[in-house]
Amino acid sequence: MAEEVVLMKGNEAIAHAAIRIGVDGYFGYPITPQSEVLETLAEQKPWETTGMVVLQAESEVAAINMVYGGAGSGKMVMTSSSSPGVSLKQEGISYIAGAELPCLVVNVMRGGPGLGTIQPSQADYFQTTKGGGHGDYHLIALAPASVQEMADFVGLAFDLAFKYRNPAMILADGVIGQMMEKVVLPEYRPRRTEEEILAQCPWATTGCKGRKPNIITSLELDPAIMEQRNLHLQAKYAEIEEKETRYEELDTEDAEYLIVAFGSCARIAQKAMEHAREEGIKVGLFRPITLWPFPSKALKERAKQVKGILTVELNSGQMIEDVRLAVECKVPVEHFGRLGGIVPDPDEVIEVIKEKLIQK
């Protein structure tokens, strides 16, 4: 059977992919520029076809706590929002991480701080990768750079979330959420049966017939036990860092200068790289796909051959800190970013490479 190629927005791809891979429940709240996720689900009415629950909660706080409850029962549940809304979800995300529950949170970033603007941004990098809520925890963070990856990463995020019993996030910016591209949606797969959930998730609160009760909580008042729980989490995070880093390299084999960028900025950087090479400047692109775990080892190895690195981000400089840590300050690392929802063009990137790396 020939693949079905459709044209849609990144936000719409998230919704269609969720239905097709058998998600059990979506709990969200509208906020620009991600509202099409909820709108598309409402339009598709999956409760009539797959039985998927789609609910607009009364607030972002309510939505993430509904996710907490659904995840605790072993269901595939998710939410989506944009920057200020995700800030409201942070306490719940920390609880979910502490309780070791799998779920998916989608953040289609907009400019801030505060209410800011509805225009695109990548300024939630710190919030996502450094733990936006309280406590020592990490989210598995995937950064799509195309509508196709918006669709593909829904399934990948859930696979990783259930593999490690950890919340996952798709961190997209408003450009990727709103742009339209051709996409091949995932094949339909049925929602898991209750028997399959019992087999896959023996820890879930599915009723205690034939077993002792399961307790889902992040609370532990005995500090000695709480320390052991934290040590267990840190060991899990170390395993994720070892096994689950993902990245893409373009024209890096002979590169003398390297651009590091994610999301929509990676697409801009790719075009800048192509134009720079036409001018005889050997530029390569390193695109982190997992923002956490960050592909530090691969970047450190690639940095050995270059004269300088430029991070391109829609923020004032956040990922640059992880880049500098990765390369251990053995090569100059500079930053170029636009703020307030302004998206740079490739020529601006080339000029910054010349100004900050070549002429320096």
Side-chain angles (χ1 to χ4, degrees), residues 1-5 16-23 50 148 151-152 155 183-191:
M1 183 180 295
E3 291 181 332
E4 181 186 1
V5 180
H16 283 278
I19 297 170
R20 285 170 171 255
I21 70 166
V23 170
T50 70
Q148 184 63 60
D152 295 343
V183 58
V184 177
L185 294 170
E187 295 291 328
Y188 279 100
R189 65 191 196 204
R191 289 174 53 214

Side-chain angles (χ1 to χ4, degrees), residues 235-309:
K236 177 175 72 173
Y237 300 147
E239 181 183 0
I240 297 171
E241 286 185 295
E242 182 65 30
K243 296 180 179 179
E244 303 299 346
T245 56
R246 288 168 168 80
Y247 59 93
E248 179 185 29
E249 292 185 281
L250 296 175
D251 290 343
T252 56
E253 291 77 8
D254 65 341
E256 296 180 354
Y257 301 95
L258 195 63
I259 302 173
V260 182
F262 67 95
S264 63
C265 278
R267 297 170 69 112
I268 297 166
Q270 181 177 350
K271 186 58 65 175
M273 175 195 74
E274 294 169 359
H275 290 177
R277 283 184 170 266
E278 291 172 0
E279 296 183 26
I281 307 171
K282 293 182 179 180
V283 176
L285 172 64
F286 187 98
R287 176 172 75 97
I289 294 173
T290 49
L291 301 182
W292 193 89
F294 192 78
S296 299
K297 291 181 180 179
L299 180 56
K300 178 183 178 181
E301 190 64 28
R302 182 58 66 190
K304 292 178 180 179
Q305 73 185 55
V306 302
K307 301 175 182 178
I309 295 174

Side-chain angles (χ1 to χ4, degrees), residues 69-229:
S73 63
K75 300 291 187 179
M76 288 177 61
V77 289
M78 64 179 290
T79 186
S80 67
S81 191
S82 186
S83 306
V86 175
S87 293
L88 290 168
K89 297 177 189 285
Q90 290 303 319
E91 181 185 36
I93 292 172
S94 177
Y95 277 38
I96 291 168
E100 290 195 90
L101 296 177
C103 71
L104 171 59
V105 179
V106 178
N107 182 1
V108 183
M109 292 176 281
R110 59 188 261 180
L115 282 176
T117 176
I118 64 172
Q119 304 303 322
S121 173
Q122 293 180 332
D124 298 355
Y125 181 92
F126 280 160
Q127 181 191 65
T128 304
T129 62
K130 309 305 179 189
H134 56 286
D136 286 317
Y137 76 92
H138 286 288
L139 304 177
I140 299 169
L142 300 167
S146 66
V147 175
Q148 184 63 60
E149 287 187 341
M150 288 284 264
D152 295 343
F153 286 2
V154 176
L156 174 60
F158 272 114
D159 288 345
L160 293 172
F162 274 88
K163 180 178 180 180
Y164 294 101
R165 283 185 61 184
N166 203 76
M169 177 173 282
I170 293 177
L171 189 67
D173 53 73
V175 174
I176 303 299
Q178 289 295 321
M179 70 186 298
M180 298 187 75
E181 287 185 321
K182 293 185 294 184
V183 58
V184 177
L185 294 170
E187 295 291 328
Y188 279 100
R189 65 191 196 204
R191 289 174 53 214
R192 294 167 303 154
T193 64
E194 294 300 319
E195 291 72 22
E196 288 171 330
I197 292 174
L198 285 169
Q200 184 182 6
C201 308
W203 43 264
T205 52
T206 51
C208 53
K209 182 179 180 181
R211 61 163 173 80
K212 293 181 179 179
N214 286 333
I215 299 174
I216 299 293
T217 182
S218 61
L219 174 67
E220 178 52 64
L221 298 181
D222 185 329
I225 296 176
M226 194 69 218
E227 182 180 45
Q228 291 305 309
R229 180 175 293 180

